[in-house]
Amino acid sequence: MPKQIQKSQKLRNNEYYDTQKLFDGLYEQSLKGEFFTNLMKIIGSEDNIRLAYRNIRNNGGSNTAGVDGYTIEDVRKLSESEFIEKVKFKLKWYKPKAVRRVEIEKYPGSGKYRPLGIPTIEDRIVQQCILQVLEPICEAKFHDKSYGFRPNRSCENALAQANSYMYAGKLHFVVDVDIKGFFDNVDHSKLIKQIWTLGIRDKKLISIIKEMLKAPIKMPSGEIVYPTKGTPQGGILSPLLSNIVLNELDWWVQSQWVEIPTEHEYSCKDSKMNMLKKHTKLKEMYIVRYADDFKIFCRSYAVAERVFHAVRQWLKERLRLDISEEKSKITNLRKQYTEFLGIKMKVRKKGKKYVSTSHMTDKAIKKVTRNLILQVGAVQTAKDRKDRYAQVQKYNSMVMGVHNYYSMAVLVSQDCARIARQVNCVMKNRLGKDLKSRKQIERMKKRKKRKGRNYAETKIIINRSIVERYGSSEQLRFLDGFAIAPVGYSKMRVLMKKAQVVNKYTHEGRGKIHKMLKMDLSVVRQLLEAPSHDESIQFIDNRISRYVAQNGKCYITGKLLQYDEIYCHHKTSKKRDDSYGNLVVIHRDIHKLIHANNQKEIIYYFGKYGEYINLEKLNKLRKAINNYEIKENVLDNSNAK
């Protein structure tokens, strides 16, 4: 993991809503092999329902309507009590609405589409409530070399583990298995048995999951289809269910070699492995899995061939899944690349040993090149300077996204240079004379100064973050004063394996994820438990966000607030605008000062808080509600008094 791991927002949410201890307990019980027969009580608790709203409120998918046409915006209008009662009623008498099927093009111009199922916002909230409770139970049972859709695990961790097997483990033969239509072919009855085997034995919950799996699908044509197998891609619970299905595969591979029982107990795994290599003919095999994309590493072609046939047969007999014969194969990494998560990897001879090397996949290069060229076209056809800036910013974010992700490839600089040759050619043809290098910009500034004109730097470099990141590159260009990120300027980064201690559901593991919040979480709890005066669920949630973002301090005075001093102020007087941007946390007396128009009252509060008041911020809030501006001499009058 990186040296300084960014704070997990979902983990912080657990702490705000005081659910972390509960989830820790579920994780510990699951580790001990205990059964869970009364989970619906936890799933339907008020804290868990509030937490579900907070976790999905800013999810991009929450703004996409299901068959009923409702989105998260409609939920935000409900009062907290209305929202909680609706979810509780839904859980009590659960019957899912139809899932809206849409076809999403994999990338512009590909002609290939991925089916997505969009549940209604009510069903998504119910799924989130269930996910929060099932996740700690399942995490205790999941295999360590599974990385997809799990907390504190990433593509980088999966690629780092694969790289470790190739380089340090000297495992140069890999079994590539592609499961044919995995998400559409999951066997429902087998999945329910696997959930039961994990210790999840709440019959009410099991019946709800069954209903979710059988939810009717409304096709783009309007036809209603009733599925008998599969988990719809797009559902909040689907990634967890897919991991439950393939967790059995992970442990089966583990049992064939790493965890195979022996008569003698070995204190060191390496000693056990050496013994197995010398005295047995067992298949040496190690799995790395990210969702339904997995690889099994072997030491020889003969073993890889046996593993390939064994895995194909096991998937068919145990999970009732078929593999794609065209896409599944055995790869000799000394001669060919194997593709994993958008990166293609192999080993090459260096002296007397083999070292690993990697590139972006050809498919990824083609996709990135196409998307950037299309965005250059959007920059060219921008209707005005403001729109051009927006399109340049979008282009820059696309470039940075490519650099952030594909820097995991050793030879990413070569790949980005290849992309840049095509993109820069198109950019030069379409934007031509308007493009300027940094040297040209500097010469222009000097010419303007010699003529006595002020050439404002802000006009030249508006998006400074791009200049700060790519400033040392000669490939940096400017368009109408906007910096354009150079796609050809990229460096590889060292892949980091997941640290064993990192765990969202243990005290020690969380200590590695983030430092404790610098505020009293008991105040957050008091805010959550405060009586609701018909406030919306959006207001209740955003009040917490504002309090945390301000580190528990008043926006105007900067002083720490006690619970009874906190007031959440609406910046504008628009009715029901409880959005995050329209709220600010202040002292109750300062709220009175914002609305005060009596001179004596203003002088009184300045006399009480004057030395701490930020007059500029105060006047900004007063102006927003059409109140007059307070002059600086008020502070002198209050001091004199």
Side-chain angles (χ1 to χ4, degrees):
M1 298 291 287
K3 288 183 180 178
Q4 289 194 350
I5 303 171
Q6 288 187 344
K7 294 177 181 177
S8 165
Q9 185 59 49
K10 288 187 178 180
L11 177 54
R12 293 173 67 181
N13 292 346
N14 290 354
E15 293 173 340
Y16 302 161
Y17 287 81
D18 203 27
T19 54
Q20 191 61 56
K21 289 181 182 178
L22 178 62
F23 296 156
D24 288 355
L26 292 174
Y27 179 84
E28 190 175 347
Q29 288 174 267
S30 185
L31 276 180
K32 294 176 181 177
E34 296 183 16
F35 298 150
F36 302 89
T37 58
N38 193 22
L39 292 174
M40 286 306 299
K41 183 178 179 181
I42 302 171
I43 290 169
S45 67
E46 292 190 6
D47 280 340
N48 192 56
I49 293 171
R50 289 193 192 102
L51 178 63
Y53 171 78
R54 186 173 182 87
N55 281 333
I56 72 168
R57 64 186 175 129
N58 292 325
N59 186 317
S62 297
N63 293 312
T64 305
V67 293
D68 59 1
Y70 292 115
T71 68
I72 195 69
E73 290 301 323
D74 298 289
V75 176
R76 285 176 176 144
K77 297 172 184 176
L78 299 174
S79 70
E80 184 183 37
S81 58
E82 286 175 328
F83 170 71
I84 291 172
E85 285 306 312
K86 271 183 173 289
V87 177
K88 282 186 174 182
F89 183 80
K90 184 85 175 176
L91 284 165
K92 190 174 181 180
W93 308 102
Y94 187 73
K95 195 72 179 175
K97 293 181 180 178
V99 174
R100 183 165 71 91
R101 171 67 66 88
V102 295
E103 302 288 331
I104 304 295
E105 193 172 16
K106 291 187 175 181
Y107 59 91
S110 67
K112 296 180 180 179
Y113 295 84
R114 178 184 291 110
L116 285 181
I118 303 174
T120 64
I121 190 65
E122 279 188 355
D123 288 326
R124 271 175 273 179
I125 290 168
V126 168
Q127 289 188 30
Q128 182 65 36
C129 288
I130 294 172
L131 173 67
Q132 289 163 184
V133 175
L134 290 192
E135 187 179 76
I137 298 171
C138 295
E139 276 297 307
K141 301 288 176 63
F142 282 164
H143 190 270
D144 187 54
K145 298 302 183 288
S146 160
Y147 296 93
F149 308 116
R150 294 181 61 187
N152 311 118
R153 292 167 184 263
S154 65
C155 294
E156 179 180 358
N157 302 147
L159 287 164
Q161 185 60 62
N163 184 69
S164 177
Y165 285 145
M166 291 163 55
Y167 174 62
K170 299 177 182 177
L171 301 162
H172 297 162
F173 293 88
V174 63
V175 177
D176 291 316
V177 178
D178 184 271
I179 301 175
K180 191 183 293 183
F182 171 70
F183 288 96
D184 292 330
N185 290 294
V186 168
D187 187 279
H188 290 176
S189 59
K190 177 64 179 177
L191 172 56
I192 295 301
K193 288 176 185 176
Q194 290 174 315
I195 292 172
W196 188 268
T197 303
L198 289 176
I200 301 165
R201 301 189 176 183
D202 185 318
K203 293 182 180 179
K204 172 71 173 176
L205 173 58
I206 295 290
S207 67
I208 288 177
I209 293 174
K210 284 182 180 179
E211 290 292 334
M212 286 178 177
L213 293 171
K214 294 187 296 184
I217 300 171
K218 186 175 182 180
M219 305 301 285
S221 63
E223 179 190 1
I224 301 295
V225 175
Y226 296 88
T228 57
K229 59 181 179 178
T231 60
Q233 294 187 63
I236 288 175
L237 204 56
S238 292
L240 180 70
L241 297 179
S242 68
N243 273 331
I244 290 174
V245 172
L246 292 176
N247 183 53
E248 194 174 337
L249 170 68
D250 300 335
W251 286 107
W252 175 75
V253 172
Q254 185 88 342
S255 71
Q256 299 301 297
W257 179 256
V258 178
E259 294 293 337
I260 195 164
T262 56
E263 289 184 4
H264 176 74
E265 288 190 16
Y266 294 86
S267 58
C268 175
K269 273 192 175 183
D270 289 340
S271 300
K272 179 181 176 180
M273 297 301 105
N274 290 332
M275 184 280 295
L276 291 173
K277 290 173 190 176
K278 288 180 181 179
H279 303 291
T280 73
K281 293 184 179 180
L282 294 169
K283 301 182 289 291
E284 184 180 3
M285 52 204 284
Y286 304 87
I287 191 169
V288 179
R289 183 172 67 82
Y290 193 96
D292 63 326
D293 192 357
F294 67 91
K295 298 193 174 297
I296 300 175
F297 291 84
C298 306
R299 198 167 297 280
S300 68
Y301 182 84
V303 169
E305 191 173 28
R306 291 165 62 198
V307 168
F308 179 84
H309 294 298
V311 170
R312 176 172 57 185
Q313 185 177 350
W314 190 91
L315 285 169
K316 182 65 176 176
E317 292 178 358
R318 294 297 296 270
L319 301 184
R320 301 160 196 167
L321 293 169
D322 295 312
I323 71 169
S324 170
E325 297 291 347
E326 301 80 27
K327 297 180 181 178
S328 302
K329 59 183 178 178
I330 299 168
T331 304
N332 181 345
L333 295 173
R334 297 172 188 173
K335 297 180 180 180
Q336 294 176 302
Y337 285 100
T338 183
E339 296 185 359
F340 192 36
L341 303 174
I343 305 291
K344 62 179 185 180
M345 309 175 291
K346 65 178 291 189
V347 293
R348 62 180 178 84
K349 198 76 176 285
K350 186 177 182 181
K352 293 183 179 181
K353 60 182 181 180
Y354 284 92
V355 296
S356 55
T357 186
S358 55
H359 281 276
M360 295 171 62
T361 63
D362 295 338
K363 185 178 176 181
I365 291 173
K366 183 179 178 182
K367 175 182 174 181
V368 168
T369 304
R370 178 188 291 272
N371 289 346
L372 289 178
I373 287 175
L374 287 173
Q375 187 55 32
V376 169
V379 172
Q380 180 193 16
T381 57
K383 54 190 176 184
D384 52 35
R385 193 170 188 270
K386 184 178 179 181
D387 184 37
R388 173 167 280 191
Y389 176 66
Q391 297 302 333
V392 168
Q393 286 293 76
K394 185 176 179 181
Y395 175 88
N396 288 342
S397 67
M398 290 166 69
V399 170
M400 288 190 290
V402 169
H403 290 170
N404 290 342
Y405 184 82
Y406 291 106
S407 60
M408 295 187 291
V410 174
L411 299 174
V412 64
S413 58
Q414 294 181 14
D415 302 326
C416 285
R418 177 178 160 189
I419 294 169
R421 280 193 290 273
Q422 295 185 61
V423 174
N424 290 347
C425 181
V426 173
M427 190 177 288
K428 187 176 180 180
N429 288 336
R430 294 190 177 183
L431 303 177
K433 297 178 181 179
D434 293 335
L435 281 176
K436 300 286 187 295
S437 68
R438 190 156 200 163
K439 289 181 179 179
Q440 288 175 308
I441 291 289
E442 293 299 326
R443 286 198 294 269
M444 287 172 63
K445 287 172 67 177
K446 288 178 181 178
R447 283 200 300 270
K448 293 287 185 182
K449 284 182 179 179
R450 282 199 298 269
K451 293 179 180 180
R453 297 176 185 172
N454 179 26
Y455 197 81
E457 190 176 0
T458 53
K459 187 178 178 182
I460 301 172
I461 306 171
I462 291 180
N463 40 359
R464 293 181 178 276
S465 60
I466 301 299
V467 178
E468 289 170 5
R469 178 166 176 171
Y470 299 103
S472 59
S473 172
E474 292 183 1
Q475 301 175 46
L476 186 67
R477 292 291 180 270
F478 296 87
L479 177 69
D480 197 17
F482 310 135
I484 299 179
V487 66
Y489 185 75
S490 180
K491 298 177 182 178
M492 64 86 65
R493 70 173 188 268
V494 178
L495 294 173
M496 301 298 290
K497 293 169 71 174
K498 178 189 173 292
Q500 291 294 322
V501 72
V502 170
N503 191 322
K504 181 179 177 181
Y505 298 109
T506 65
H507 181 73
E508 184 184 9
R510 283 194 302 279
K512 292 288 182 180
I513 298 171
H514 68 78
K515 296 177 182 178
M516 292 301 291
L517 294 171
K518 297 178 180 179
M519 67 187 67
D520 188 354
L521 287 177
S522 65
V523 176
V524 177
R525 285 297 306 165
Q526 284 179 292
L527 286 172
L528 285 168
E529 294 169 356
S532 175
H533 302 290
D534 201 36
E535 291 102 342
S536 69
I537 183 68
Q538 183 186 24
F539 173 82
I540 300 292
D541 188 71
N542 283 331
R543 178 173 60 181
I544 299 297
S545 297
R546 269 297 176 192
Y547 175 79
V548 172
Q550 293 173 210
N551 293 318
K553 297 178 181 179
C554 173
Y555 175 74
I556 300 297
T557 66
K559 291 175 68 70
L560 279 171
L561 296 169
Q562 300 301 315
Y563 169 70
D564 56 359
E565 296 173 335
I566 296 171
Y567 189 91
C568 191
H569 170 72
H570 289 76
K571 293 179 183 178
T572 63
S573 55
K574 293 179 182 177
K575 290 185 178 180
R576 303 296 289 185
D577 184 5
D578 295 329
S579 63
Y580 178 82
N582 194 44
L583 300 179
V584 64
V585 170
I586 55 177
H587 193 289
R588 288 187 175 277
D589 285 350
I590 298 301
H591 178 251
K592 295 174 184 175
L593 181 57
I594 291 170
H595 289 273
N597 49 30
N598 180 287
Q599 191 72 7
K600 288 184 179 180
E601 189 178 5
I602 292 171
I603 291 173
Y604 168 76
Y605 286 118
F606 263 91
K608 194 172 181 180
Y609 303 101
E611 61 180 304
Y612 303 107
I613 290 175
N614 183 315
L615 190 58
E616 183 180 350
K617 289 182 177 180
L618 175 64
N619 279 327
K620 190 174 180 180
L621 293 181
R622 285 175 63 87
K623 185 179 179 181
I625 61 168
N626 298 318
N627 207 345
Y628 65 85
E629 185 177 320
I630 298 174
K631 304 298 182 182
E632 288 199 26
N633 60 5
V634 172
L635 181 59
D636 298 330
N637 293 337
S638 62
N639 289 336
K641 188 173 179 178

